[in-house]
Amino acid sequence: MARSRKSSYGRRPIVSVALASACACAAVALFPSEAWAGPGRFDLGFDGEAPVLLAPSPTNNNLSVAGAGFKVRFGDQLRLRHGIVLTPEIGYAYDHIFTSAPAIAVQGTNEIATGDWNMNRFFGGLRLGFGRWVVPTVYAHAGYAFRSISGPGNTNPQIFGESGFTFDTGIALEIHVARHLSFGPHAEYVFVSNSDGPAQSSPQWLAFGAHIDFLF
């Protein structure tokens, strides 16, 4: 729980983001402007999900393994020929990890910290899918995140008040049930950099959930 103030980003697992970006660039390169099948459609998406904390250790930080969260996404869905669906988008995400006990001593100090973790993210990214009615999709986002601690008895909020770079990458299944409506499951990996502490304290989690998209 004790953190050094020295800035340290550590190693960032960026392979998935690079792969998703490469796929998107390849799609644009292989299918130029004359290959577009039609104009873009505004995509408003809502995600509900359950984050499963991977790091830092839930046990050592007095946290539950799982929590709850949501995302709101805005994008422009572009349909290319050959069933390719490209959606640049921006959005906001909130993930909440519950505390597992009323209080915990901060290792190496005389301080006590307690409370739930609140993780907020603003992001921009890209979704790449293939199909018409059932569309397997990969996606990646990058942006800025900030974190805080909440709950009664919180005596040291600055321990959790870190902010920095964030990215996520995931897979989804889009099921189009109507012209203006689609839904499906998704799973993703999320990383938030701890800009003011050791790299091993950077939050990382998996998120599993479902989403619904309205197309206009």
Side-chain angles (χ1 to χ4, degrees), residues 4 11 28 40 66 73 87 134-135 153 155-156 160 181:
S4 167
R11 298 178 60 188
V28 174
R73 300 175 283 103
T87 309
V134 178
V135 185
T155 61
N156 197 19
F160 302 99
L181 179 67

Side-chain angles (χ1 to χ4, degrees), residues 194-209:
N194 180 5
S195 58
D196 293 322
Q200 60 267 27
S201 66
S202 296
Q204 302 175 57
W205 65 91
L206 299 176
F208 304 93

Side-chain angles (χ1 to χ4, degrees), residues 178-205:
R179 175 176 172 80
H180 300 287
L181 179 67
S182 69
F183 72 95
H186 67 269
E188 68 182 51
Y189 166 81
V190 185
F191 172 86
V192 176
S193 171
N194 180 5
S195 58
D196 293 322
Q200 60 267 27
S201 66
S202 296
Q204 302 175 57
W205 65 91

Side-chain angles (χ1 to χ4, degrees), residues 38-46 72-79 85-91 127 176 179-182 212-216:
R41 303 170 66 190
F42 179 73
D43 187 332
L44 173 61
F46 299 94
V72 181
R73 300 175 283 103
F74 308 87
D76 193 17
Q77 186 179 102
L78 306 170
R79 285 193 169 271
V85 183
L86 199 62
T87 309
E89 62 182 3
I90 59 174
R127 304 174 79 87
H176 290 265
R179 175 176 172 80
H180 300 287
L181 179 67
S182 69
I212 184 169
D213 286 70
F214 300 93
L215 301 170
F216 303 94

Side-chain angles (χ1 to χ4, degrees), residues 60-118:
N60 293 344
N61 288 273
N62 205 41
L63 294 169
S64 299
V65 174
F70 69 88
K71 288 199 296 287
V72 181
R73 300 175 283 103
F74 308 87
D76 193 17
Q77 186 179 102
L78 306 170
R79 285 193 169 271
L80 289 73
R81 299 190 187 280
H82 308 290
I84 295 178
V85 183
L86 199 62
T87 309
E89 62 182 3
I90 59 174
Y92 165 78
Y94 171 79
D95 292 277
H96 187 88
I97 303 295
F98 300 95
T99 186
S100 59
I104 185 172
V106 180
Q107 185 177 6
T109 75
N110 294 321
E111 298 170 329
I112 300 295
T114 184
D116 304 343
W117 279 23
N118 306 293

